[in-house]
């Protein structure tokens, strides 16, 4: 069930990086907190190749709306527990939000495999992740964006979440945060 969707007039708000952009995964990892939430196949791939399995990886088997190559797909097929969710493009489903909360609570790395699209998962990940965590997502043709979860970044992410169309109260409740 879709809880929130991205209105056309808000698409521009998601274009600018929410943190510094890195092209070197080792530098990013040196600056990252714990746990690490990776949103996107290519980001997850780069972190794993650099020797750090994200605590939570949200993947959909695509990059720039095209299937990822075999080399990336092979690295993404790990032994971690998988949660399968449906999430339509430009939306956030109840299943996606529930999977984020479940994965963040796990002591072991979890892969959330999305049928549909995972692009908006960055925002609820920042809202739900503990302070001190890092959320990493891809900025197309630029690199990887590192967002440290702080009261400020959480407030900004929550404002973006609340600007989406749909049932904000149900979404916040699914994330375990109150109005």
């Amino acid at each position: 069930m879709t809880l929130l969707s991205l209105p056309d007039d808000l698409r521009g708000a998601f274009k600018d990086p929410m943190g510094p952009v890195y092209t070197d995964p080792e530098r990013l990892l040196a600056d990252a907190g714990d746990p690490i939430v990776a949103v996107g196949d290519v980001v997850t791939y780069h972190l794993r190749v650099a020797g750090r399995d994200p605590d939570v990886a949200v993947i959909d088997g695509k990059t720039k709306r095209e299937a990822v190559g075999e080399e990336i797909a092979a690295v993404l097929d790990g032994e971690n527990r998988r949660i399968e969710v449906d999430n339509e493009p430009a939306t956030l489903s109840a299943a996606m939000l529930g999977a984020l909360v479940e994965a963040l609570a796990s002591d072991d790395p979890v892969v959330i495999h999305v049928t549909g699209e995972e692009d908006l998962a960055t925002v609820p990940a920042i809202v739900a992740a503990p302070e001190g965590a890092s959320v990493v997502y891809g900025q197309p043709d630029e690199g990887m964006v590192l967002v440290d979860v702080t009261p400020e970044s959480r407030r900004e992410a929550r404002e973006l979440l609340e600007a989406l169309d749909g049932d904000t109260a149900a979404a916040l409740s699914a994330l375990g945060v109150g109005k």
Side-chain angles (χ1 to χ4, degrees), residues 57-113:
V58 186
I59 62 173
D60 64 3
K62 297 180 222 138
T63 182
K64 297 184 199 173
R65 303 204 179 8
E66 299 290 327
V68 296
E70 288 180 29
E71 179 184 352
I72 292 174
V75 171
L76 297 178
D77 283 338
E79 298 298 312
N80 297 342
R81 182 167 72 96
R82 287 170 67 108
I83 301 173
E84 302 280 341
V85 300
D86 291 326
N87 194 79
E88 294 298 318
T91 70
L92 290 168
S93 66
M96 170 69 85
L97 301 181
L100 281 168
V101 170
E102 181 181 337
L104 283 163
S106 176
D107 291 334
D108 298 314
V110 175
V111 173
I112 300 171
H113 187 268

Side-chain angles (χ1 to χ4, degrees), residues 16-76:
D16 292 331
M18 298 173 75
V21 179
Y22 291 76
T23 55
D24 180 351
E26 284 83 9
R27 283 198 54 216
L28 182 146
L29 287 168
D31 293 344
D34 189 56
I36 293 177
V37 178
V39 178
D41 298 65
V42 175
V43 168
T44 300
Y45 166 82
H46 283 299
L47 295 178
R48 283 187 173 165
V49 168
R52 177 63 160 86
D53 200 4
D55 299 279
V56 178
V58 186
I59 62 173
D60 64 3
K62 297 180 222 138
T63 182
K64 297 184 199 173
R65 303 204 179 8
E66 299 290 327
V68 296
E70 288 180 29
E71 179 184 352
I72 292 174
V75 171
L76 297 178

Side-chain angles (χ1 to χ4, degrees), residues 126-149:
I126 296 166
V127 172
E131 202 163 309
S134 289
V135 177
V136 184
Y137 69 94
Q139 188 74 10
D141 302 316
E142 290 186 45
M144 299 173 285
V145 179
L146 174 64
V147 181
D148 292 320
V149 178

